[in-house]
Amino acid sequence: MLNQPSPDFSLIIKDNEKTAAQALSDGQFVQTYLLVHSLIEALLRHFLQISDEKNISFDKLIQKYRVYLDQMGYTIPTFLDELTQFNRRRNRIVHQLWRKGHSYTNLQAEPAARGAVIMYSLLIEWLETYDPAITQIGFRLDEGI
């Protein structure tokens, strides 16, 4: 087997952010939401240094984030409820796709997609207080999306 170089993480992030911004601009709210969900998952994986556990679920990432906040002594678990609701919303959007179709689901997903973009920026800003290098590897606060 040939050794393949690792992909440039910052280029992948930039590509997904750019695509999410274009999808939002084009009114493709389901696509926007799903792309932002994947960006938030990548952000949490990077922040929590979980790159080798490929089969870890988003729920497990949230649990690991809770442990991190507990270890840091935070009595108010910042973003935990939001992340849980965010993931539940993703599940509902996916289920609506096969129950009611793309057109209906896309229209209904607009507020969720716009909220997801805001949450993404806020989560980056919050996590940057612990790891200032987050934006240096590619996660952007509010550029493009």
Side-chain angles (χ1 to χ4, degrees):
M1 183 189 316
L2 297 173
N3 282 339
Q4 294 188 4
S6 298
D8 185 339
F9 196 59
S10 66
L11 293 177
I12 294 167
I13 294 166
K14 184 177 182 177
D15 183 44
N16 284 347
E17 286 179 338
K18 181 181 174 186
T19 303
Q22 187 62 53
L24 185 63
S25 175
D26 292 345
Q28 295 299 320
F29 305 116
V30 169
Q31 183 180 4
T32 302
Y33 197 90
L34 296 177
L35 282 164
V36 173
H37 190 279
S38 72
L39 284 163
I40 289 177
E41 180 176 346
L43 177 62
L44 287 172
R45 284 177 178 277
H46 173 76
F47 180 75
L48 297 169
Q49 299 176 350
I50 301 172
S51 59
D52 57 339
E53 298 179 48
K54 293 178 172 96
N55 293 327
I56 189 169
S57 68
F58 198 87
D59 284 332
K60 293 254 196 262
L61 285 174
I62 295 170
Q63 291 170 14
K64 289 182 180 282
Y65 176 61
R66 177 186 294 277
V67 169
Y68 175 83
L69 290 175
D70 288 344
Q71 290 171 344
M72 296 301 291
Y74 275 88
T75 56
I76 299 173
T78 306
F79 282 105
L80 274 177
D81 289 338
E82 291 83 357
L83 288 167
T84 300
Q85 292 304 317
F86 176 70
N87 196 47
R88 287 181 184 156
R89 171 72 60 149
R90 185 204 57 94
N91 293 341
R92 284 192 301 271
I93 287 171
V94 169
H95 287 213
Q96 290 291 20
L97 282 172
W98 61 266
R99 291 176 67 207
K100 297 194 177 181
H102 180 270
S103 297
Y104 175 85
T105 304
N106 190 63
L107 183 63
Q108 296 299 309
E110 181 177 1
R114 293 190 187 282
V117 168
I118 293 168
M119 189 174 87
Y120 176 62
S121 293
L122 290 172
L123 186 58
I124 291 169
E125 189 172 356
W126 168 250
L127 295 179
E128 190 180 30
T129 63
Y130 299 103
D131 182 3
I134 282 210
T135 54
Q136 294 171 5
I137 65 151
F139 295 104
R140 296 179 299 171
L141 290 174
D142 203 10
E143 302 169 29
I145 299 183

